[in-house]
Amino acid sequence: MGARTALHVEELHRQYSQRVYGYVYRRTSDVQSAQQITNDVFRIAWQHQKEPSEDALPWLLVTARNLVANEYRAQRRQRSLIEKLGSSELARRPQPENDPGAAVREVLNTLRPQEREILMLAYWDSLSLNEISTILRCSPDSAKSRLFRARKAFSKKAPNQMLKGGTSNGQH
């Protein structure tokens, strides 16, 4: 792998590392895991000699999604092992206190995984319908329909004050 590949990956990293990191962090909520997975994404891009192109960001995010899924599986296996050993308290990951996004994550966690994924791609990752359709391997029209249904599902499960920007006591 030559200097040309290194330059391409450096350019990809310069353009997209923050977006890839954000994508991963929103799915793991762990800085160390997000940094490691982001590094792995660009290592894989280097191994595949990925060049900057129009489809680079979706390719990087699909790679990140696969690595996050691997991380989830590893965490599930670890929790299962810990529970088998009788230490289920150790398997619980502590949640940060006073997290303003906790309410949104709580509603997102009640949604189906497909709904949660498309909402995160659209709103947290700020991807276009074309980019979302590339990542989800569907047509842009299908992505648009899926996003509409996911928004509807979110609004049904979200507290009214969350949707209207209010507070729990009804004041804005």
Side-chain angles (χ1 to χ4, degrees), residues 2-170:
R4 191 170 145 219
T5 300
L7 290 174
H8 289 309
V9 173
E10 285 177 18
E11 179 63 19
L12 287 173
H13 190 272
R14 187 188 63 72
Q15 287 180 10
Y16 301 119
S17 62
Q18 290 300 314
R19 291 192 70 187
V20 171
Y21 173 82
Y23 175 91
V24 174
Y25 179 76
R26 283 185 290 281
R27 283 151 182 83
T28 62
S29 298
D30 180 64
V31 172
Q32 188 174 4
S33 292
Q35 289 171 339
Q36 181 61 49
I37 291 171
T38 300
N39 290 341
D40 289 344
V41 167
F42 289 98
R43 177 186 47 80
I44 291 168
W46 178 72
Q47 289 173 332
H48 286 260
Q49 299 181 15
K50 188 69 178 159
E51 295 183 11
S53 64
E54 202 172 283
D55 74 332
L57 180 60
W59 186 90
L60 292 167
L61 294 180
V62 166
T63 303
R65 185 171 78 174
N66 292 338
L67 292 173
V68 168
N70 291 344
E71 179 68 17
Y72 283 156
R73 280 190 291 274
Q75 288 175 1
R76 268 195 311 270
R77 285 191 300 269
Q78 183 180 17
R79 280 193 303 269
S80 176
L81 179 61
I82 290 171
E83 287 172 3
K84 285 180 183 177
L85 295 174
S87 300
S88 62
E89 286 300 313
L90 295 176
R92 293 196 181 117
R93 175 186 264 175
Q95 296 297 320
E97 294 181 26
N98 301 325
D99 183 3
V104 173
R105 274 195 301 281
E106 198 172 301
V107 174
L108 283 172
N109 287 333
T110 66
L111 299 176
R112 294 184 358 235
Q114 300 89 342
E115 294 167 338
R116 182 173 46 250
E117 178 70 10
I118 198 161
L119 287 171
M120 291 177 79
L121 289 169
Y123 293 103
W124 274 331
D125 296 316
S126 302
L127 297 178
S128 70
L129 283 173
N130 285 335
E131 292 169 323
I132 292 170
S133 67
T134 300
I135 291 168
L136 298 179
R137 294 186 173 104
C138 65
S139 70
D141 287 337
S142 180
K144 186 176 181 179
S145 296
R146 290 179 190 185
L147 182 57
F148 174 81
R149 288 191 300 271
R151 284 181 187 138
K152 196 171 185 179
F154 184 91
S155 67
K156 284 181 181 177
K157 295 185 179 197
N160 284 336
Q161 68 268 15
M162 181 188 295
L163 298 175
K164 294 179 182 168
T167 61
S168 58
N169 64 8

